[in-house]
Amino acid sequence: MYPKASLITYRVAAALALLLLGGCEIPGLIPDPRVVQREAEASAIGGGCRHALRGLEDCYTLNPKAPKSAIFAGWKDMDLYMRENKIDGTPSVLGKVEKPAKARRSEAGDADDSNRS
């Protein structure tokens, strides 16, 4: 059917093409590991928010840099898991954040002014 010379040439050309393309990074073929890590972290944040009985809006507000779609996916997955296994959430123990000393002094100064009048 094919002469032996053309078959050997075809095989050599195919082997060379594979060798040349083997070392290439073709964009879009493999996802960027930084993006994958960022989405995994956002998903974990969403799951943690659900377990802490925190709403989605609060979670978005506390984590503005995290992708909202990944936070929602993590929150939804954790919600399903908690419902299936009848797990109660644990309320968050975030206390009130103390204001810096500078802000406290200015508020105290404002309070002193109002008491004088």
Side-chain angles (χ1 to χ4, degrees):
M1 183 171 346
Y2 293 108
K4 281 191 173 185
S6 66
L7 187 59
I8 291 174
T9 307
Y10 173 74
R11 288 184 180 172
V12 169
L16 281 174
L18 286 175
L19 285 174
L20 290 174
L21 291 176
C24 294
E25 285 188 29
I26 301 171
L29 187 62
I30 299 173
D32 187 11
R34 292 174 290 181
V35 172
V36 172
Q37 180 183 5
R38 186 171 172 224
E39 288 181 0
E41 287 175 3
S43 179
I45 288 169
C49 283
R50 172 59 185 101
H51 191 264
L53 301 175
R54 210 175 269 137
L56 276 172
E57 294 80 16
D58 295 338
C59 199
Y60 294 153
T61 303
L62 292 171
N63 303 288
K65 292 184 179 180
K68 290 182 179 181
S69 60
I71 288 176
F72 176 71
W75 195 94
K76 187 177 171 184
D77 290 343
M78 180 58 86
D79 183 58
L80 179 66
Y81 176 79
M82 289 174 70
R83 287 175 192 260
E84 286 177 352
N85 296 306
K86 297 180 178 128
I87 298 173
D88 293 330
T90 306
S92 176
V93 288
L94 282 177
K96 291 186 178 179
V97 178
E98 286 197 30
K99 296 180 181 177
K102 194 177 202 181
R104 277 186 273 166
R105 274 188 255 132
S106 67
E107 282 181 6
D110 293 342
D112 290 341
D113 293 339
S114 64
N115 289 337
R116 289 182 189 165
S117 27

